[in-house]
Amino acid sequence: MQKIVIFDMDGTLIDSKKDITISINYVRKLNHNLPPLDENFVVESINKDVRNLPKLFYGTEIYEERDRVVFEKHYKKQCTENPYLYDGILETLQKLQREGVKLSVATNAPTVFAKEMLVSLGIVDMFGIIVGADKVSASKPSPEMLYKILDFYKYNALVDKAWMIGDNSKDMQSAKSAGIEAFFATWGFSPHSEYSNTLKHPKEILDLVL
């Protein structure tokens, strides 16, 4: 029997809000001459169930190509400046790995950014597969990322066990659609959860999986 744990990245494994906010504010100033946003507003906006991020961040109805190009160019350099692992994440990953648990990442961020950040934090090699939004036709809450990871491990629902650990409703919905258990992490971007399957500290994952 395989045990597979699929992690969201931003707000679950790592705190990346400072660099995300810096790059958003760079675009705001350069392309729109708008004042800076604070980190809390950015995180709350990203985690809203229904939101128009271009409107919230840049005052545009759609994500304009010029904003996307500037953000991605800036964030590619910025994304490894300040991220850090949440307390208990490293020890939890190490224990899971020692016990033979298959670890993976499903993130709505582009895969290249995800890998660069995880490399900079020294944990990229712990994950058998990292799937970003560019690797699928539809990102979370679609289950496509999770299906891609489960297929990679040749997951068999009759004998294997898989869990999704994330910090927002998109993670929970994607897991439900994929037919696997989901647990809501409250140590990161979302300290409050309406879900019954809630984890308050990364080490709780060990009791769940092992």
Side-chain angles (χ1 to χ4, degrees):
M1 180 186 78
Q2 294 186 103
K3 292 183 176 182
I4 302 164
V5 180
I6 304 171
F7 288 94
D8 172 52
M9 186 180 70
D10 299 291
T12 302
L13 290 172
I14 68 174
D15 190 321
S16 52
K17 64 179 178 289
K18 182 171 184 176
D19 293 314
I20 293 172
T21 303
I22 288 172
S23 288
I24 288 170
N25 284 333
Y26 179 81
V27 177
R28 283 173 61 85
K29 182 177 180 180
L30 182 69
N31 286 356
H32 302 280
N33 195 31
L34 292 170
L37 300 172
D38 67 45
E39 294 176 5
N40 290 332
F41 177 84
V42 169
V43 168
E44 289 171 6
S45 299
I46 290 172
N47 279 346
K48 284 182 178 178
D49 289 342
V50 179
R51 75 282 199 272
N52 181 344
L53 291 184
K55 184 73 171 178
L56 291 169
F57 293 161
Y58 308 126
T60 62
E61 290 301 324
I62 61 171
Y63 194 16
E64 295 182 356
E65 181 66 10
R66 64 175 185 143
D67 292 338
R68 184 193 66 77
V69 169
V70 171
F71 177 86
E72 291 188 357
K73 183 177 181 180
H74 188 272
Y75 192 61
K76 192 173 191 304
K77 296 178 181 178
Q78 183 67 44
C79 69
T80 57
E81 290 297 311
N82 301 290
Y84 60 87
L85 299 174
Y86 288 109
D87 182 46
I89 285 291
L90 180 59
E91 296 82 359
T92 298
L93 294 175
Q94 289 172 334
K95 177 65 173 176
L96 291 172
Q97 190 177 45
R98 284 197 300 269
E99 295 294 327
V101 178
K102 305 291 196 298
L103 306 177
S104 54
V105 172
T107 174
N108 281 356
T111 308
V112 62
F113 296 154
K115 287 185 174 180
E116 287 188 14
M117 295 162 79
L118 297 174
V119 165
S120 73
L121 293 166
I123 63 170
V124 70
D125 292 336
M126 292 183 170
F127 304 103
I129 179 172
I130 298 167
V131 179
D134 54 302
K135 298 295 185 181
V136 293
S137 60
S139 56
K140 296 176 294 183
S142 163
E144 190 177 345
M145 284 185 188
L146 276 58
Y147 285 145
K148 192 175 186 70
I149 290 169
L150 296 174
D151 287 345
F152 174 82
Y153 288 117
K154 297 180 172 58
Y155 170 76
N156 181 343
L158 297 178
V159 295
D160 299 328
K161 188 71 175 173
W163 299 265
M164 174 77 209
I165 311 295
D167 74 310
N168 64 52
S169 61
K170 296 179 182 62
D171 299 313
M172 304 297 106
Q173 293 168 27
S174 65
K176 183 178 181 180
S177 297
I180 66 173
E181 282 191 87
F183 286 82
F184 195 101
T186 60
W187 57 78
F189 287 173
S190 303
H192 305 292
S193 168
E194 62 185 32
Y195 296 92
S196 57
N197 290 353
T198 298
L199 302 174
K200 296 181 180 179
H201 191 280
K203 291 181 180 178
E204 294 179 38
I205 299 169
L206 301 177
D207 294 332
L208 173 69
V209 176
L210 304 180

